[in-house]
Amino acid sequence: MDQNLRLLFTEMLRRTGRCRALYDGPEGMLLQTGGNGLFCGIPDAGALLRVLRGVTVPKDAGFTVFSHEAADAVQREFGLHAQEAYETLLYLQPSPPEVPACSIRPLKAEDAAEAARYYHLFDDPLPYLRGRAEAGALWGHFTAEGRLAGFLGIHSEGSMGMLEVVPEFRRRGIAQALEAALIRLHLERGWLPYCFVAPDNVPSLSLQAKLGLTNI
């Protein structure tokens, strides 16, 4: 198991309170996140199948795997959906990125409806965003007039995400400043900043590179 991948899995176990290790051995780790999510840090397909056959796979499990071979094996064995189309990025530097300061504040539950207008990962994002706001895990940048210009947060499994900038406020460096501020908050709390990005999301991958995250 790659050293940085093990670092990520260890952080997920330590911090979120929503993960438990179903397996931890020389081949890698298998985590269950909250309900039916499985993070499979065992890239070798044969080893992963041996481990999965020895545990109870949740009904309607959602798999996150870290190699094409593992994805193919899971799909063949279980007839389930394996989610591989994300890049995994960690911020491994001791100091936060040096970018212009950004004034952000936690979003309140009543702010979630405005944020949901611009977040399209789910068909109905409002319940999730409201839950993240209520958990103190969603922050926004507001204009001097009090308008929400952009927001980002921490997903339930601990990754940075939900980064959106309202269209009329784009190309002003708000996304970079928002994420830099969240990275600073992570480091102040002794946390490892990490995120998952779709490989076709070129703007986000470019932003992660600019901020100094390492792709594992």
Side-chain angles (χ1 to χ4, degrees):
M1 184 179 186
D2 177 83
Q3 181 178 353
N4 286 335
L5 188 56
R6 180 170 287 277
L7 181 65
L8 166 65
F9 275 46
T10 301
E11 176 74 4
M12 292 173 69
L13 282 171
R14 178 180 75 91
R15 177 152 60 91
T16 67
R18 292 177 51 84
C19 300
R20 65 187 184 103
L22 299 181
Y23 179 83
D24 185 359
E27 308 93 335
M29 298 176 70
L30 175 66
L31 301 186
Q32 184 172 351
T33 60
N36 63 352
L38 293 180
F39 271 67
C40 306
I42 303 172
D44 179 79
L48 175 59
L49 289 182
R50 286 194 296 273
V51 169
L52 288 172
R53 289 166 184 160
V55 302
T56 300
V57 176
K59 183 179 180 181
D60 299 324
F63 286 78
T64 299
V65 297
F66 293 86
S67 74
H68 290 287
E69 293 78 9
D72 291 342
V74 166
Q75 289 168 331
R76 287 196 307 269
E77 180 80 3
F78 295 95
L80 299 173
H81 175 64
Q83 177 184 341
E84 190 204 6
Y86 284 86
E87 304 288 348
T88 304
L89 301 110
L90 311 180
Y91 189 83
L92 300 173
Q93 303 178 48
S95 302
E98 294 186 5
V99 298
C102 177
S103 176
I104 66 173
R105 67 166 174 81
L107 292 188
K108 301 176 182 178
E110 54 264 32
D111 297 317
E114 178 66 13
R117 294 178 56 196
Y118 307 102
Y119 189 64
H120 306 297
L121 183 61
F122 311 126
D123 291 335
D124 181 12
L126 181 55
Y128 184 74
L129 293 178
R130 183 184 292 120
R132 292 287 80 207
E134 291 173 345
L138 194 62
W139 294 265
H141 171 64
F142 291 81
T143 68
E145 296 75 30
R147 291 189 58 197
L148 180 66
F151 60 92
L152 83 168
I154 301 175
H155 284 294
S156 55
E157 92 294 333
S159 67
M160 300 185 296
M162 297 168 279
L163 177 58
E164 294 287 346
V165 177
V166 175
E168 65 185 276
F169 297 111
R170 291 175 182 169
R171 302 187 184 279
R172 301 185 188 183
I174 292 176
Q176 184 177 358
L178 278 168
E179 188 169 338
L182 187 55
I183 290 172
R184 177 181 295 277
L185 183 147
H186 274 70
L187 297 182
E188 289 173 349
R189 296 181 178 180
W191 295 350
L192 172 70
Y194 61 92
C195 63
F196 304 108
V197 179
D200 58 353
N201 190 343
V202 176
S204 182
L205 290 174
S206 176
L207 174 61
Q208 309 317 313
K210 188 179 297 184
L211 288 168
L213 279 82
T214 298
N215 193 326
I216 64 171

